[in-house]
Amino acid sequence: MTRATSLIWIDYAVMLIYFAFVLGIGFALKRYMRTSTDFFLSGRSIPAWITGLAFLSANLGAQEVIGMGASGAKYGIATSHFYWVGAIPAMVFVGLFMMPFYYGSRARSVPEYLKLRFDEKTRALNAISFALMTIFSSGVSMYAMGKLFNLLLGWDFNFSMIIAAVIVLAYTFLGGLTSAIYNEVLQFFMIVFGFIPLVYLGLRDVGGWSGLQARLTTVSTENGFAPTAYTQSWQFMGDAGSNPLGVEWFGLLMGLGFVLSFGYWCTDFLVVQRAMAADSMSAARRTPLIAAVPKMLFPFLVILPGMIALTVGSRVAAPVTAHNPSSTTATVANASFQPGSATTATSTSAQTTTAGMSGRGIIPPKINEATGQPLLDSRGRVVLDYDLATPMMLINYFPAGMLGLGLTALLASFMSGMAGNVTAFNTVWTYDIYQSYIRKGASDEHYLWMGRISTVFGIALSIAAAYVAVRFNNIMELLQLVFAFVNAPLFATFALGMFWRRTTGHGAFTGLVSGTTAAALHHGFSLAEGAVPGVKGGFFGQLAAYPSEMAQTFWTAIVAFVVCFSVTVIVSLLTRPRPEEELRGLVYSLTPRPEDTETLWYRRPAVLAVIVLALTLMLNIIFF
């Protein structure tokens, strides 16, 4: 049985109600934004359970819902490593050990902490690099938003991005961080309730987990892997070439589990800002621990749809066209692909026909911008547009009404990611760049005004950054690459600065520059199999080859971390350290341990940490 993919009035009603809520929250909170602290840090007055959900939801942007779905289709259950190895341990660490530094120092941002610990130049370097990173991250969410609106509604790609930008701008401009946080909590529940039915319908269609395993056996064998490579997370990590992720256990644990994971969760102001808005030190420490509980369950909501999309046939009979930013006639759907015209999907087979070339399941090929034909890699194979895995699942399974709910859940994730990055950007720009180097000593009212202006500026830059994402068929790979350049060396600096009092400002600055340069050199001299030299690497030549783009990124992060760490240690030993009295509250050994005054066991950070780690270990064992 087939059905049309066009939306009806009830679908639009669901979306309009959601938009009314998010804008209403912004208008309701506008009157409370009296000072810059209110606007940028919510006056440090929000309860732990709200900041915990916001801490998680700020990370639930396009990279989570679309990117993890894409990675699920591309790499299988190994994508769960981004959660159970690449997130939970770091979230526990930041809650127990790093939040006392951030919250206790009263720093308004991560770059400002670097100024307090090191010096002004280290802060400036981090502020600039972080601002650029948030722009790229927000741009990825906008790109995904435009692509989704175009695929489901047939709207122009550019117009779709502008609509999304205007809505996010409205509520962040009015209510600042508080508006973003409360909207992120709303968006969290929208994502959960929107995706649970999708996973249920998809699993029922393929015969449950066992049925999905059986179908993925064929996919795995055709791609040259062991039959269960797509459904076992650790079994084939002994050799990079024997698993879809293309990385061995050391590269996984060091590159993802340590460098990228700790680099993101411990130093990225986007998430740290949510915890810093908590109403007490204890609440700030509990924030990432509360977020870790639903975080460990999210693979079942966002990875499984991508894996299912790889194996099912199309139920869609209506034309579905997708606009390419560089070509107004590129068709992207479960259909035969003819440049310059929309076509109707009539096949219910598991393969998507594309002028003699095929996608897989309901995942279509990525379209060449210049020709409108399916894009080919360097080996002549069709490049699948994995970013469409989750949207195509919505089209394939949700009827009218539910499609509006699922679409709204995706919109919530995109807007959550955009708002999180924009509020982090406006804080860093205003406090760490504008106030520090452009306009010192202005009134608080002036900085509040600048915060609102920089919100507009940040969203405009994000729209420009969205077009970089067009080059990738998995936005998660783009974001991890950005993190490898920015967060990997930054984590080395933080680790040394917090736990080695001998670290100097000259060492930190030189290490950051060296680490970022090393990342650029490694990326420029390496290339993943099938990739074309350019933004994906190899632009200086090819000295190293990797089985996948993700493996290349993991090793880029490792190189950046090791170089930054080594250079920082060497330069620090050659330069004069700061007096110990200036480092109290900034270095672990010189900072009093926070006393846990909570009387209820489930509110104690240490107890929560043990529970979270035990549950995570259990999940790793189950899907070994």
Side-chain angles (χ1 to χ4, degrees), residues 100-117:
F101 292 98
Y102 288 134
Y103 199 89
S105 69
R106 309 301 291 183
R108 297 169 298 182
S109 67
V110 170
E112 188 167 61
Y113 172 82
L114 289 175
K115 175 192 174 182
L116 296 173
R117 173 59 184 89

Side-chain angles (χ1 to χ4, degrees), residues 180-362:
I181 286 176
Y182 279 99
N183 271 304
E184 283 162 0
V185 174
L186 170 64
Q187 288 154 354
F188 168 81
F189 288 108
M190 286 297 304
I191 293 167
V192 171
F193 292 128
F195 274 77
I196 286 178
L198 181 65
V199 173
Y200 170 75
L201 292 173
L203 282 177
R204 187 182 66 174
D205 189 32
V206 299
W209 174 248
S210 60
L212 180 60
Q213 285 179 302
R215 294 187 181 214
L216 287 173
T217 296
T218 302
V219 178
S220 184
T221 303
E222 289 178 357
N223 289 339
F225 302 116
T228 58
Y230 277 81
T231 54
Q232 291 184 291
S233 60
W234 284 101
Q235 188 70 31
F236 303 99
M237 283 293 163
D239 175 38
S242 63
N243 66 82
L245 199 58
V247 63
E248 77 295 338
W249 67 268
F250 177 81
L252 176 75
L253 292 177
M254 182 67 179
L256 174 63
F258 182 63
V259 177
L260 285 172
S261 172
F262 281 72
Y264 176 78
W265 293 102
C266 296
T267 68
D268 195 320
F269 185 57
L270 166 64
V271 290
V272 171
Q273 186 182 32
R274 272 70 192 153
M276 292 174 68
D279 57 12
S280 68
M281 172 68 81
S282 177
R285 297 182 71 202
R286 293 199 308 274
T287 292
L289 301 173
I290 292 171
V293 176
K295 180 73 174 179
M296 71 176 69
L297 301 177
F298 256 80
F300 304 111
L301 284 183
V302 296
I303 294 176
L304 282 182
M307 297 170 65
I308 295 169
L310 203 62
T311 65
V312 296
S314 173
R315 301 178 175 191
V316 180
V320 184
T321 61
H323 173 74
N324 187 302
S326 300
S327 173
T328 60
T329 58
T331 302
V332 182
N334 303 341
S336 58
F337 286 73
Q338 299 178 5
S341 65
T343 55
T344 302
T346 58
S347 170
T348 58
S349 70
Q351 299 297 321
T352 304
T353 305
T354 68
M357 301 175 184
S358 61
R360 180 179 288 279
I362 55 174

Side-chain angles (χ1 to χ4, degrees), residues 322-482:
H323 173 74
N324 187 302
S326 300
S327 173
T328 60
T329 58
T331 302
V332 182
N334 303 341
S336 58
F337 286 73
Q338 299 178 5
S341 65
T343 55
T344 302
T346 58
S347 170
T348 58
S349 70
Q351 299 297 321
T352 304
T353 305
T354 68
M357 301 175 184
S358 61
R360 180 179 288 279
I362 55 174
I363 303 175
K366 193 171 181 66
I367 299 302
N368 186 298
E369 298 177 14
T371 66
Q373 294 291 332
L375 187 67
L376 305 179
D377 64 19
S378 64
R379 294 168 291 186
R381 301 191 306 184
V382 174
V383 177
L384 297 183
D385 199 342
Y386 291 108
D387 288 336
L388 290 178
T390 299
M392 294 305 296
M393 284 287 289
L394 289 175
I395 294 174
N396 210 43
Y397 286 106
F398 275 7
M402 282 190 68
L403 184 57
L405 176 63
L407 178 58
T408 305
L410 283 181
L411 296 179
S413 75
F414 301 152
M415 292 169 62
S416 175
M418 290 163 57
N421 281 288
V422 168
T423 53
F425 171 82
N426 63 28
T427 303
V428 169
W429 164 262
T430 303
Y431 282 150
D432 297 295
I433 298 176
Y434 183 78
Q435 184 181 31
S436 299
Y437 308 111
I438 299 175
R439 182 75 181 274
K440 297 181 179 181
S443 65
D444 186 77
E445 182 180 356
H446 177 80
Y447 293 128
L448 175 60
W449 171 84
M450 175 49 62
R452 289 199 164 105
I453 295 300
S454 63
T455 302
V456 179
F457 182 61
I459 285 182
L461 289 177
S462 299
I463 294 175
Y467 291 92
V468 177
V470 175
R471 303 289 180 180
F472 289 74
N473 71 335
N474 182 346
I475 57 176
M476 177 55 69
E477 292 173 342
L478 170 60
L479 288 170
Q480 293 300 320
L481 180 61
V482 173

Side-chain angles (χ1 to χ4, degrees), residues 158-177:
N158 306 291
F159 176 75
S160 301
M161 285 201 304
I162 291 173
I163 289 294
V166 168
I167 294 172
V168 173
L169 173 63
Y171 73 75
T172 53
F173 184 89
L174 294 169
L177 178 62

